[in-house]
Amino acid sequence: MPRYDFRCRSCGATFELRRTMAQANDPAVCPQGHEDTVKLLSTVAVTGAASGGAPQQAPSGGGGGCCGGGCCG
Ligand SMILES: [Zn+2]
């Protein structure tokens, strides 16, 4: 049975629970009785939800601009 790490946001405690994968997303209760807990991922580094999908992309050229208007050449 896999083990899952949780952190309590009420008291800051981290604790570990053994539960089935079917229960992996169930809310966990801190040993101190707090219910405001988050599940920690031990193998995958989570940096937040800032990624927008595609990596940085160069702005597409075209669209007139200076040379399109004949001002530079
Ligand atoms: Zn707690």
Side-chain angles (χ1 to χ4, degrees), residues 8-13 15 30-37:
C8 176
R9 293 195 291 188
S10 292
C11 68
F15 55 99
C30 168
Q32 304 299 323
H34 306 130
E35 295 182 357
D36 188 10
T37 59

mmCIF file of all heavy atoms in Angstrom, residues 8-13 15 30-37, ligand 1:
data_model
loop_
_atom_site.group_PDB
_atom_site.id
_atom_site.type_symbol
_atom_site.label_atom_id
_atom_site.label_comp_id
_atom_site.label_asym_id
_atom_site.label_seq_id
_atom_site.Cartn_x
_atom_site.Cartn_y
_atom_site.Cartn_z
ATOM 1 N N CYS A 8 -0.202 19.508 7.549
ATOM 2 C CA CYS A 8 -1.318 20.216 8.151
ATOM 3 C C CYS A 8 -1.057 21.711 8.042
ATOM 4 O O CYS A 8 0.009 22.188 8.396
ATOM 5 C CB CYS A 8 -1.477 19.813 9.614
ATOM 6 S SG CYS A 8 -2.774 20.744 10.444
ATOM 7 N N ARG A 9 -2.023 22.413 7.544
ATOM 8 C CA ARG A 9 -1.857 23.852 7.416
ATOM 9 C C ARG A 9 -2.302 24.589 8.676
ATOM 10 O O ARG A 9 -2.131 25.792 8.791
ATOM 11 C CB ARG A 9 -2.658 24.364 6.211
ATOM 12 C CG ARG A 9 -2.067 23.844 4.918
ATOM 13 C CD ARG A 9 -2.566 24.588 3.723
ATOM 14 N NE ARG A 9 -3.978 24.329 3.458
ATOM 15 C CZ ARG A 9 -4.614 24.751 2.374
ATOM 16 N NH1 ARG A 9 -3.973 25.455 1.469
ATOM 17 N NH2 ARG A 9 -5.876 24.481 2.178
ATOM 18 N N SER A 10 -2.878 23.846 9.578
ATOM 19 C CA SER A 10 -3.285 24.488 10.824
ATOM 20 C C SER A 10 -2.137 24.547 11.818
ATOM 21 O O SER A 10 -1.888 25.571 12.424
ATOM 22 C CB SER A 10 -4.463 23.715 11.433
ATOM 23 O OG SER A 10 -5.599 23.858 10.609
ATOM 24 N N CYS A 11 -1.413 23.447 11.934
ATOM 25 C CA CYS A 11 -0.330 23.405 12.917
ATOM 26 C C CYS A 11 1.021 23.170 12.263
ATOM 27 O O CYS A 11 2.033 23.184 12.942
ATOM 28 C CB CYS A 11 -0.611 22.338 13.977
ATOM 29 S SG CYS A 11 -0.541 20.647 13.357
ATOM 30 N N GLY A 12 1.052 22.959 10.953
ATOM 31 C CA GLY A 12 2.317 22.813 10.257
ATOM 32 C C GLY A 12 2.941 21.438 10.362
ATOM 33 O O GLY A 12 4.041 21.221 9.872
ATOM 34 N N ALA A 13 2.253 20.512 10.962
ATOM 35 C CA ALA A 13 2.810 19.180 11.122
ATOM 36 C C ALA A 13 2.751 18.425 9.799
ATOM 37 O O ALA A 13 1.853 18.627 8.991
ATOM 38 C CB ALA A 13 2.039 18.412 12.190
ATOM 39 N N PHE A 15 2.715 14.549 8.283
ATOM 40 C CA PHE A 15 2.443 13.184 8.721
ATOM 41 C C PHE A 15 2.257 12.314 7.502
ATOM 42 O O PHE A 15 2.132 12.790 6.379
ATOM 43 C CB PHE A 15 1.216 13.144 9.639
ATOM 44 C CG PHE A 15 -0.030 13.749 9.033
ATOM 45 C CD1 PHE A 15 -1.000 12.930 8.460
ATOM 46 C CD2 PHE A 15 -0.226 15.124 9.036
ATOM 47 C CE1 PHE A 15 -2.137 13.477 7.906
ATOM 48 C CE2 PHE A 15 -1.371 15.677 8.473
ATOM 49 C CZ PHE A 15 -2.328 14.843 7.908
ATOM 50 N N CYS A 30 -5.176 15.634 10.218
ATOM 51 C CA CYS A 30 -3.942 15.736 10.994
ATOM 52 C C CYS A 30 -4.064 14.908 12.278
ATOM 53 O O CYS A 30 -5.157 14.779 12.824
ATOM 54 C CB CYS A 30 -3.744 17.217 11.322
ATOM 55 S SG CYS A 30 -2.496 17.567 12.545
ATOM 56 N N PRO A 31 -2.934 14.362 12.752
ATOM 57 C CA PRO A 31 -2.973 13.647 14.041
ATOM 58 C C PRO A 31 -3.494 14.510 15.176
ATOM 59 O O PRO A 31 -3.987 13.991 16.183
ATOM 60 C CB PRO A 31 -1.506 13.257 14.266
ATOM 61 C CG PRO A 31 -0.916 13.189 12.898
ATOM 62 C CD PRO A 31 -1.626 14.235 12.099
ATOM 63 N N GLN A 32 -3.395 15.815 15.003
ATOM 64 C CA GLN A 32 -3.909 16.718 16.032
ATOM 65 C C GLN A 32 -5.393 16.999 15.831
ATOM 66 O O GLN A 32 -5.990 17.734 16.612
ATOM 67 C CB GLN A 32 -3.136 18.039 15.998
ATOM 68 C CG GLN A 32 -1.636 17.878 16.143
ATOM 69 C CD GLN A 32 -1.244 17.232 17.446
ATOM 70 O OE1 GLN A 32 -1.858 17.472 18.481
ATOM 71 N NE2 GLN A 32 -0.240 16.375 17.406
ATOM 72 N N GLY A 33 -5.931 16.468 14.763
ATOM 73 C CA GLY A 33 -7.362 16.623 14.568
ATOM 74 C C GLY A 33 -7.745 17.707 13.584
ATOM 75 O O GLY A 33 -8.927 17.952 13.373
ATOM 76 N N HIS A 34 -6.750 18.345 12.996
ATOM 77 C CA HIS A 34 -7.068 19.405 12.037
ATOM 78 C C HIS A 34 -7.419 18.793 10.685
ATOM 79 O O HIS A 34 -6.842 17.792 10.274
ATOM 80 C CB HIS A 34 -5.873 20.344 11.877
ATOM 81 C CG HIS A 34 -5.396 20.901 13.184
ATOM 82 N ND1 HIS A 34 -4.080 20.868 13.584
ATOM 83 C CD2 HIS A 34 -6.087 21.479 14.189
ATOM 84 C CE1 HIS A 34 -3.974 21.431 14.780
ATOM 85 N NE2 HIS A 34 -5.176 21.799 15.172
ATOM 86 N N GLU A 35 -8.309 19.437 10.027
ATOM 87 C CA GLU A 35 -8.741 18.906 8.735
ATOM 88 C C GLU A 35 -8.180 19.705 7.570
ATOM 89 O O GLU A 35 -8.400 19.353 6.428
ATOM 90 C CB GLU A 35 -10.272 18.919 8.670
ATOM 91 C CG GLU A 35 -10.891 17.966 9.681
ATOM 92 C CD GLU A 35 -12.401 17.947 9.572
ATOM 93 O OE1 GLU A 35 -12.940 18.721 8.754
ATOM 94 O OE2 GLU A 35 -13.037 17.180 10.299
ATOM 95 N N ASP A 36 -7.482 20.778 7.857
ATOM 96 C CA ASP A 36 -6.952 21.612 6.783
ATOM 97 C C ASP A 36 -5.569 21.104 6.399
ATOM 98 O O ASP A 36 -4.549 21.602 6.847
ATOM 99 C CB ASP A 36 -6.896 23.065 7.262
ATOM 100 C CG ASP A 36 -6.548 24.011 6.127
ATOM 101 O OD1 ASP A 36 -6.541 23.561 4.957
ATOM 102 O OD2 ASP A 36 -6.284 25.179 6.391
ATOM 103 N N THR A 37 -5.550 20.071 5.586
ATOM 104 C CA THR A 37 -4.297 19.431 5.227
ATOM 105 C C THR A 37 -4.131 19.415 3.721
ATOM 106 O O THR A 37 -5.100 19.500 2.967
ATOM 107 C CB THR A 37 -4.253 17.989 5.749
ATOM 108 O OG1 THR A 37 -5.350 17.260 5.196
ATOM 109 C CG2 THR A 37 -4.345 17.959 7.267
HETATM 110 ZN ZN ZN B 1 -2.640 19.924 12.602
#
